[in-house]
Amino acid sequence: MPDSSFLPIGRIRKAHGIRGEVSVDYYADSPELLQEGVYLRQPGKSAVFHDVASYRAHHGGLLIRFKSVMDRNIAESLRGSDILVPGDRLPAPDDGSIYLHEILGLRVFATDEKGRESDWGIIAGIADYAGQETWTISKENENDILFPAAPALILGFDLDARLVRVAPPPGLFDLYRSPLQQSPDNSK
């Protein structure tokens, strides 16, 4: 299965205990995606299938034990691995909802308080900072914008046209966007 068909649902933080469990940052809403097994991809390597023996909630994440991982040393070697599932395994989203991976690469159009629309760039990344979903919006030769993706600021998605319209707080664009300044050359 090509790696491009996988979606990340978590990342292994570290080994936990001596029997091969791993501590995981888990991104999905339900651990049910683990029941059919997952693929682990270490940085720079191809994804490898692993059957899941068990999982349980632990400190805001999950502890997972894989059938093929029997001790702490093997578990520790998995640190930093992405936990992936085939995209076709995801359930259909609820009405009016979309998956985060679907918004990566969308072009962002912002409407200001006077109703003028401008192209801010594309969504290049998504992060969760203290419970606030935040998009990194990138545009060539300009500084990235960190956009708080609060529902009140999102006017709508058009996945067919690959765009999203937003109503940013006044001044956000000015805070981030000015052409990138070249550092002065201090060499003599």
Side-chain angles (χ1 to χ4, degrees), residues 91-156:
D94 296 333
D95 284 342
S97 297
I98 61 174
Y99 285 114
L100 290 179
H101 72 273
E102 294 178 298
I103 67 172
L104 286 172
L106 292 184
R107 182 144 306 276
V108 179
F109 288 93
T111 303
D112 66 16
E113 58 276 355
K114 294 180 182 175
R116 295 177 299 212
E117 191 170 81
S118 59
D119 179 352
W120 274 22
I122 63 163
I123 300 173
I126 304 166
D128 187 310
Y129 297 113
Q132 172 60 61
E133 182 181 312
T134 304
W135 299 343
T136 300
I137 302 172
S138 295
K139 192 170 186 181
E140 191 172 327
N141 297 322
E142 295 195 32
N143 295 318
D144 288 348
I145 293 174
L146 295 179
F147 180 76
L153 302 178
I154 299 171
L155 300 176

Side-chain angles (χ1 to χ4, degrees), residues 37-60:
V38 296
Y39 290 81
L40 299 182
R41 183 176 54 212
Q42 294 179 314
K45 296 185 179 178
S46 293
V48 176
F49 181 79
H50 287 268
D51 279 316
V52 174
S54 64
Y55 56 86
R56 59 191 170 108
H58 182 74
H59 294 290

